Amino acid sequence: SRGALAPDWLDVLAMRLSGAAAANAIYRLGLGSGVYHSRAGFGHSSVSVAKRLGMVAAVNHSAAHPLFFEFLRANSGRFPADGERPNVGFFWSSIWRDIDRADVIIVDSRFVLESCVRAGADRSRLRLVYEGVDDEFLRYLPPQPEPRIGGSGRFLFAGSFCVSKGAEVLLKALSQSQGTYSIRVAGDVDAQTKADMRDLLGDPRLTFLG
């Protein structure tokens, strides 16, 4: 933690304060049974308090396991080979400790589940719950025409446009394509992405909506 950046310290401090406030609420409300559910990183002391009072602690985590998160970003989605030990920073170490406290780890994709198993999490503690669209909902949508497949296409990217969301892969594919594709981005572009991909971000087929 000695080499941690100031923003990481602030993030972890905020999450610990959130956990302390939740722990106080558990005591104040007199909770002592049932399930205590928190987001990985925001539980901290509240998870230990809930377990001590007899509650089952469930934590949900929707990204790669903290052991691999930065490594995957730096290596284009490749998991470390045998003998490679990823360096885990202060921020992700804090989230990792929070995950380890839980009785049940709720993940939202097979990829996240696989990363947790690779990191040594007991498979019996993992529960895969997709955060997708209920299939029943699809029955109520009006019929849609078949998608056109040709030499052009329009795409919409909604969300934070950054390395961990595949921005670099998308931009490189766009730069190598000769097709008449256009991509609109609705969301934030972080400063690091702007600095690292200045040339790629200048592609005229790319439009930023804010």
Side-chain angles (χ1 to χ4, degrees), residues 74-207:
N75 293 275
S76 301
R78 177 181 67 82
F79 279 102
D82 292 342
E84 285 184 292
R85 183 68 179 178
N87 179 43
V88 183
F90 179 62
F91 174 79
W92 287 106
S93 293
S94 177
I95 293 181
W96 190 351
R97 285 193 295 273
D98 217 23
I99 292 173
D100 282 348
R101 287 185 178 97
D103 299 306
V104 177
I105 307 166
I106 302 171
V107 297
D108 63 359
S109 72
R110 292 190 180 278
F111 169 75
V112 177
L113 187 148
E114 178 191 352
S115 73
C116 289
V117 171
R118 282 174 176 256
D122 191 326
R123 181 65 179 81
S124 65
R125 295 173 59 218
L126 291 158
R127 299 291 185 276
L128 175 59
V129 180
Y130 291 109
E131 295 178 343
V133 177
D134 189 331
D135 291 343
E136 284 296 304
F137 171 75
L138 300 177
R139 295 195 300 112
Y140 297 95
L141 296 177
Q144 299 294 314
E146 290 293 322
R148 293 179 301 169
I149 300 176
S152 64
R154 294 182 299 168
F155 300 91
L156 174 67
F157 181 102
S160 179
F161 198 69
C162 57
V163 172
S164 61
K165 296 298 177 69
E168 184 176 18
V169 176
L170 178 62
L171 291 177
K172 285 183 176 179
L174 182 65
S175 68
Q176 295 171 15
S177 168
Q178 301 302 315
T180 55
Y181 298 102
S182 65
I183 300 175
R184 294 191 172 195
V185 177
D188 177 58
V189 183
D190 66 90
Q192 191 64 50
T193 299
K194 289 179 180 177
D196 292 346
M197 295 181 251
R198 186 173 291 107
D199 293 339
L200 293 174
L201 290 171
D203 194 302
R205 294 170 292 182
L206 192 64
T207 303

Side-chain angles (χ1 to χ4, degrees), residues 57-82:
V59 62
N60 71 282
H61 185 62
S62 57
H65 188 279
L67 174 62
F68 302 120
F69 189 90
E70 292 297 342
F71 186 93
L72 290 167
R73 287 188 61 174
N75 293 275
S76 301
R78 177 181 67 82
F79 279 102
D82 292 342

Side-chain angles (χ1 to χ4, degrees), residues 20-71:
N24 288 333
I26 292 172
Y27 278 126
R28 187 174 65 253
L29 296 172
L31 302 179
S33 62
V35 176
Y36 177 63
H37 173 235
S38 62
R39 169 78 173 173
F42 291 87
H44 286 282
S45 59
S46 65
V47 176
S48 300
V49 168
K51 293 178 68 173
R52 191 160 61 246
L53 294 176
M55 304 179 77
V56 175
V59 62
N60 71 282
H61 185 62
S62 57
H65 188 279
L67 174 62
F68 302 120
F69 189 90
E70 292 297 342
F71 186 93

